Amino acid sequence: MSVSTVSTQPFEGQRPGTSGLRKKVDVFRKGNYLPNFVQSVFDTRPDLKGGTLVLGGDGRFYNRHAVQTILKMAAANGIHRVLVGQGGLLSTPAVSAIIRKHRAEGGLVLSASHNPGGPSGDFGIKFNVPNGGPAPESVTEAIYRRTQGIDRFFIDDAADLPINETGDYTLGAMQITVIDPVADYAELMEQLFDFDAIRDLFTSGFRMRFDAMHAITGPYAREILEHRLGATAGTVINGQPLEDFGGGHPDPNLTYAEALVEEMYSDQAPDLGAASDGDGDRNMILGPRFFVTPSDSLAVMAANAELAPGYAGRMTGVARSMPTSQAVDRVAEKLGIACYETPTGWKFFGNLLDAGRITLCGEESFGTGSDHVREKDGLWAVLFWLTIVAERRKSVTDIVREHWRAYGRNFYTRHDYEALDANQAKSLYTELAEKVPSLRGETLAGRKVVVADDFRYTDPIDGSQTSGQGLRLILEDGSRIVFRLSGTGTEGATLRIYVERFEADAGKHEQETQKALADLIDVATAICQLKARTGRDMPTVIT
Ligand code: VG1
Ligand code: CO
């Protein structure tokens, strides 16, 4: 084998955001942009030398090229073994499961998740640590610091590796094992859920539609839902991973999962609709003409966890990201288990999961997961819902309505203003951050403001601190308005406004969400002077 040492120069802006380094494909294709970042990971993670690396991505444009480059760099950096998904494919939760099962020293996930793909879309790369989860900030910051001083990288001059068939190869002293992307993951799911019970549900005539959005979950969903669980062929739509996701935006929400939403709101709607995102860690759950908010989904799962074999009798606690609604808090209180509030991004759940403090966790952004891996997990959430339906034999809608009757309803919405001018958004946010503390004690929408701050978090396990995690206004009745700037976008800036209000009165649970929250939404947009500063008065996406 012949290893080259290639001299290089640092690029600006290689600091990972909420979830990895995400940029336009054009940026990744510039010179040594990708090798610089990968070498920075290898340089800051000495354990990888002589160790095992898991490698795969969501199949978007540039995935194949990046896999080849990383394999050759891994060999040149003395990695002992790489487990790579066939065709370079692996979902984010599968990477997490494989790192854990094979005790790997880390993994590289190639994905920009819910961001669009294709040559003019986005690409991304994320490093996961040995617990299977996204690297904590201390690690991403070390990688970032390294990118600022990098002056060389190592690469093997080999020809491209055959990754289309499973099997073992060597590249110099490094072993490459091309694995079936689905096998380990499917086996884990069989341990957590009663597949016989779900199979019976399908046999009884239960119909579902799963929209893989031409992203990574297609092969996983077909194998698990159609082959192992007996859902009828055609249950999975858009199941073929495509480099540009078929031109779509692989974000499973009411705006971008058009085909699914149209069917679920038609007279032919199946009993359950679900979708996942680019890299397979998000999920959306729908009943006929009924949308389950991700915050409610987490609460319903926690309340019904005893029905799933993998969770019965072992719920220690739950966690949610700060902007996620407080619906799950009510369940935790009733169950008498702990409930933690963390900053946005899955990396903040890692320590709590490792320490056994929590069993389930989730975010309002269509993410739910548990201690089975260290990432959120789209298909897992779907299997959890199928379990609840199979055991209770009730519709998705009835399950949620009954939940509201038992716990009260947390009306919740998120308004995203995407692709704002970056400078305008920054100045809006900076000035808002200055103004927020002064609102404490004021009256907004008829209620007194009791908390007005910028959310900061101290990790209860390792004491690490994180600040600047979102501006909060909490009113005396528990209602909340939260502002955040996205850390995953690649075009301009995205402002997210989260609004929540609790309603105990079951007679008022059927209100339309936007109406139920109208006064708080008006207050939120007025406080940040949205229209005057950005020219926008309509969100890009409402969830
Ligand atoms: C968004 C979500 C956040 C999620 C992150 C990664 O981040 O709000 O909850 O963890 O995406 O999800 P931001 O910074 O844009 O708000 V994924 O599916 O992109 O890995
Ligand atoms: Co994702």
Side-chain angles (χ1 to χ4, degrees):
M1 122 168 156
S2 104
V3 170
S4 296
T5 304
V6 183
S7 54
T8 188
Q9 284 180 344
F11 284 89
E12 292 276 306
Q14 292 203 317
R15 173 181 260 141
T18 311
S19 177
L21 180 67
R22 292 186 196 178
K23 300 285 174 198
K24 291 269 164 225
V25 167
D26 277 348
V27 174
F28 268 99
R29 285 169 120 174
K30 258 187 217 139
N32 299 324
Y33 195 90
L34 175 75
N36 273 17
F37 188 80
V38 174
Q39 187 65 49
S40 299
V41 171
F42 291 155
D43 286 349
T44 40
R45 303 296 292 179
D47 281 6
L48 286 170
K49 203 169 180 161
T52 298
L53 176 77
V54 178
L55 175 64
D58 65 9
R60 69 179 61 220
F61 184 77
Y62 214 55
N63 191 111
R64 282 182 168 272
H65 174 84
V67 164
Q68 293 292 347
T69 302
I70 295 168
L71 284 173
K72 295 171 201 173
M73 288 183 66
N77 276 278
I79 277 85
H80 169 62
R81 184 182 188 206
V82 178
L83 301 174
V84 57
Q86 189 178 11
L89 299 179
L90 282 177
S91 76
T92 287
V95 168
S96 191
I98 293 163
I99 291 174
R100 295 169 68 77
K101 178 171 173 185
H102 299 274
R103 300 182 191 286
E105 275 64 34
L108 286 168
V109 188
L110 306 171
S111 173
S113 188
H114 59 287
N115 298 17
S120 56
D122 292 348
F123 189 73
I125 179 165
K126 182 172 67 152
F127 178 64
N128 282 28
V129 290
N131 75 352
E137 275 190 340
S138 55
V139 175
T140 56
E141 282 301 299
I143 295 169
Y144 172 58
R145 278 197 301 280
R146 181 64 193 134
T147 67
Q148 292 176 303
I150 190 123
D151 59 359
R152 54 92 188 100
F153 65 88
F154 306 115
I155 188 159
D156 192 292
D157 304 318
D160 279 359
L161 286 310
I163 55 167
N164 286 338
E165 300 302 329
T166 57
D168 291 305
Y169 315 89
T170 53
L171 176 55
M174 185 175 87
Q175 192 187 333
I176 298 176
T177 304
V178 181
I179 56 173
D180 172 353
V182 180
D184 285 335
Y185 179 82
E187 181 191 293
L188 178 59
M189 294 303 117
E190 294 210 12
Q191 289 161 17
L192 299 172
F193 302 108
D194 182 348
F195 272 36
D196 290 336
I198 302 176
R199 210 175 291 117
D200 284 351
L201 178 71
F202 283 122
T203 312
S204 75
F206 183 86
R207 288 167 56 233
M208 87 171 278
R209 193 73 64 226
F210 181 91
D211 189 349
M213 304 186 85
H214 288 302
I216 191 67
T217 43
Y220 294 84
R222 280 214 177 113
E223 172 60 23
I224 293 173
L225 298 173
E226 296 184 5
H227 299 158
R228 300 197 186 195
L229 291 170
T232 47
T235 294
V236 178
I237 56 170
N238 300 321
Q240 175 72 22
L242 297 175
E243 288 201 330
D244 66 349
F245 306 121
H249 193 149
D251 196 351
N253 59 35
L254 294 173
T255 305
Y256 295 131
E258 285 163 54
L260 177 73
V261 170
E262 196 179 307
E263 186 178 9
M264 292 309 296
Y265 282 79
S266 76
D267 292 337
Q268 286 79 46
D271 302 297
L272 188 148
S276 189
D277 71 332
D279 61 333
D281 56 0
R282 296 188 175 205
N283 75 90
M284 175 167 69
I285 302 289
L286 300 164
R289 294 181 204 279
F290 190 85
F291 167 63
V292 184
T293 71
S295 295
D296 279 345
S297 178
L298 174 64
V300 169
M301 284 181 186
N304 290 278
E306 293 303 318
L307 301 176
Y311 302 93
R314 51 176 300 274
M315 289 285 288
T316 57
V318 292
R320 60 164 173 83
S321 65
M322 182 275 282
T324 303
S325 101
Q326 298 164 90
V328 74
D329 302 32
R330 298 175 187 283
V331 177
E333 203 185 333
K334 192 160 177 183
L335 295 178
I337 59 174
C339 180
Y340 298 86
E341 183 178 46
T342 60
T344 296
W346 213 260
K347 58 189 172 216
F348 294 103
F349 294 131
N351 280 345
L352 294 169
L353 289 163
D354 283 352
R357 297 266 190 111
I358 59 171
T359 314
L360 297 188
C361 49
E363 297 190 278
E364 48 61 41
S365 53
F366 299 89
T368 24
S370 85
D371 58 358
H372 70 292
V373 288
R374 293 294 179 273
E375 290 277 6
K376 55 186 183 274
D377 190 343
L379 210 45
W380 167 89
V382 174
L383 295 172
F384 208 120
W385 267 92
L386 286 170
T387 299
I388 298 173
V389 174
E391 296 296 337
R392 294 183 51 187
R393 296 285 162 152
K394 285 193 171 138
S395 71
V396 168
T397 312
D398 285 348
I399 289 167
V400 177
R401 289 203 167 119
E402 280 180 21
H403 185 91
W404 292 339
R405 275 200 293 278
Y407 294 91
R409 177 172 181 188
N410 286 70
F411 280 102
Y412 184 83
T413 192
R414 178 175 112 180
H415 287 196
D416 294 330
Y417 292 85
E418 294 178 350
L420 297 175
D421 174 82
N423 290 326
Q424 276 182 3
K426 206 173 157 195
S427 70
L428 176 154
Y429 196 80
T430 314
E431 285 175 37
L432 185 62
E434 280 166 20
K435 179 171 165 185
V436 157
S438 71
L439 295 172
R440 196 166 154 241
E442 301 273 307
T443 298
L444 295 178
R447 293 90 121 180
K448 206 167 147 191
V449 180
V450 291
V451 174
D453 67 1
D454 192 346
F455 182 62
R456 42 172 50 244
Y457 177 69
T458 303
D459 186 294
I461 309 300
D462 67 11
S464 59
Q465 299 194 350
T466 315
S467 56
Q469 294 294 330
L471 305 172
R472 311 190 284 181
L473 295 170
I474 307 181
L475 311 185
E476 58 190 337
D477 64 347
S479 297
R480 297 193 305 162
I481 298 171
V482 175
F483 302 89
R484 263 187 81 248
L485 286 177
S486 158
T488 58
T490 59
E491 236 176 282
T494 295
L495 176 70
R496 307 200 194 285
I497 303 181
Y498 314 78
V499 177
E500 170 180 19
R501 177 172 70 81
F502 178 66
E503 179 60 71
D505 183 353
K508 295 182 180 159
H509 287 168
E510 295 305 317
Q511 293 172 79
E512 201 273 317
T513 301
Q514 300 304 312
K515 283 198 189 115
L517 298 171
D519 58 343
L520 293 167
I521 295 169
D522 286 348
V523 164
T525 48
I527 286 176
C528 67
Q529 299 176 302
L530 192 77
K531 179 83 194 289
R533 287 173 161 277
T534 66
R536 303 276 188 94
D537 54 6
M538 277 298 288
T540 323
V541 176
I542 295 181
T543 299

